[in-house]
Amino acid sequence: MATLFLALLLALPVSCAAAQAATAEIHSERPFGYFVGDLIHAFVDIRAEADADLRPASLPSPGPLTISLDLRDSRLEPIAAAEGRRWRLHLTYQTFYVSLDVRDIKIPGFTLIVARPGGDEPLSVPSWSVGVAPLREVTPTKAQEAVDYLRPDGDPPRIGERERERVTMALAAATLLALLLVARDRAIPPFHSRSVRRFARLARRLGPLEWRPADAAQTIEAMQSLHRAIDATAGRSVLSSDLPAFLDAHPQFAPAEAALRRFFDLSERLFYGDAAARDDDMAEIAAVARALARRERAR
């Protein structure tokens, strides 16, 4: 089969020469056996002198060539050559010719422009032909009644419902397990009452308050709650001066040291200073609680 194809491939080349040195050879994928709508692949091998070049504007552009033939694609590929220059012009045609019998159709030629130091010269690529074949309907055996041409529908494929049910149940179980793990990690009910998640509970409670107008009583209550959470974590009362010892005993909160120091400074200002609560104090307390909650989950 390969030998036959090679023989057919080599049988088609058409050579032409424009000027004295530039040449073009046409090769088609196969010379016959095309039906309406088929793509026809071919390429043109072009050889020229070392100082020659091809004018890009002279290359064929995709589009209709005849009423029943389109050029779908055109691509120029430079090829390394020991002498002179060589290109391969890839062409893809599509035929819409509705043939009533086996016959040849003509592929139109075109003219390339070869640029040389002495001036431009035309290189003609001649027309060539391929064989097309008709599409014929399958004629069934003549029947007495029209209903005799009909055939019953085929049986629908059987779908394995049990396998789908098993996969659905496995995916549902995996999803439920993932949700439980996330809820436990985020201290979402029913895991919110775990003592080790006291900062998470406080951060969740303070979240809605930080976006409301300032309320001095709520700010003081939030600050006391955060103090109680820190004390409960340490197992004793923690003052500002105790912060280094608290971080040494609970190193998971060390990355939040800056936030803790801001919180204790704020606490001293509100509890022992004469300053009133500001609008952004609740947001600061909530931010400290969130920072501690993140470190609490990392433990």
Side-chain angles (χ1 to χ4, degrees), residues 93-111:
Y93 301 89
Q94 187 172 22
T95 176
F96 299 100
Y97 183 75
V98 181
S99 175
L100 298 179
D101 52 18
V102 178
R103 63 179 61 185
D104 291 342
I105 61 171
K106 181 177 292 185
I107 307 295
F110 51 89
T111 301

Side-chain angles (χ1 to χ4, degrees), residues 40-282:
I40 303 172
H41 299 284
F43 62 85
V44 181
D45 275 342
I46 305 163
R47 293 181 174 82
E49 306 96 320
D51 57 352
D53 201 355
L54 283 179
R55 294 291 187 193
S58 67
L59 298 176
S61 300
L65 298 180
T66 68
I67 193 172
S68 59
L69 184 69
D70 285 1
L71 176 59
R72 300 294 303 273
D73 185 50
S74 171
R75 178 173 57 87
L76 185 66
E77 175 191 10
I79 298 178
E83 295 181 356
R85 301 198 63 183
R86 184 181 175 189
W87 300 271
R88 176 162 292 176
L89 179 60
H90 298 270
L91 301 168
T92 301
Y93 301 89
Q94 187 172 22
T95 176
F96 299 100
Y97 183 75
V98 181
S99 175
L100 298 179
D101 52 18
V102 178
R103 63 179 61 185
D104 291 342
I105 61 171
K106 181 177 292 185
I107 307 295
F110 51 89
T111 301
L112 301 173
I113 301 299
V114 180
R116 293 191 175 89
D120 294 349
E121 294 180 358
L123 174 61
S124 177
V125 178
S127 61
W128 51 290
S129 62
V130 294
V132 296
L135 289 175
R136 295 293 188 184
E137 72 279 11
V138 177
T139 304
T141 304
K142 188 174 181 180
Q144 294 295 330
E145 300 293 338
V147 71
D148 295 336
Y149 292 104
L150 302 179
R151 294 292 181 272
D153 295 334
D155 295 332
R158 298 182 63 85
I159 301 175
E161 295 292 342
R162 298 295 300 272
E163 181 64 21
R164 294 191 176 190
E165 290 178 358
R166 285 195 292 270
V167 173
T168 301
M169 294 298 293
L171 293 177
T175 302
L176 180 60
L177 178 61
L179 291 176
L180 290 175
L181 291 176
V182 171
R184 184 180 183 280
D185 181 71
R186 303 293 177 178
I188 297 174
F191 303 100
H192 63 289
S193 60
R194 291 196 310 161
S195 59
V196 294
R197 299 296 189 189
R198 54 177 64 92
F199 292 117
R201 294 202 313 272
L202 181 60
R204 188 170 57 256
R205 182 163 62 85
L206 298 182
L209 299 178
E210 64 178 311
W211 305 108
R212 297 176 183 174
D215 185 315
Q218 287 182 331
T219 302
I220 295 299
E221 195 277 335
M223 181 165 289
Q224 291 173 337
S225 298
L226 187 51
H227 270 298
R228 284 194 289 269
I230 295 173
D231 294 346
T233 302
R236 63 183 181 86
S237 296
V238 178
L239 302 178
S240 177
S241 58
D242 301 325
L243 191 56
F246 172 77
L247 296 178
D248 288 341
H250 304 277
Q252 70 272 20
F253 298 113
E257 180 179 359
L260 280 170
R261 291 194 180 282
R262 290 198 306 272
F263 168 70
F264 278 101
D265 291 342
L266 175 62
S267 174
E268 291 180 359
R269 177 168 60 83
L270 293 183
F271 286 126
Y272 303 107
D274 54 358
R278 298 192 302 237
D279 291 344
D280 56 347
D281 285 344
M282 179 61 80

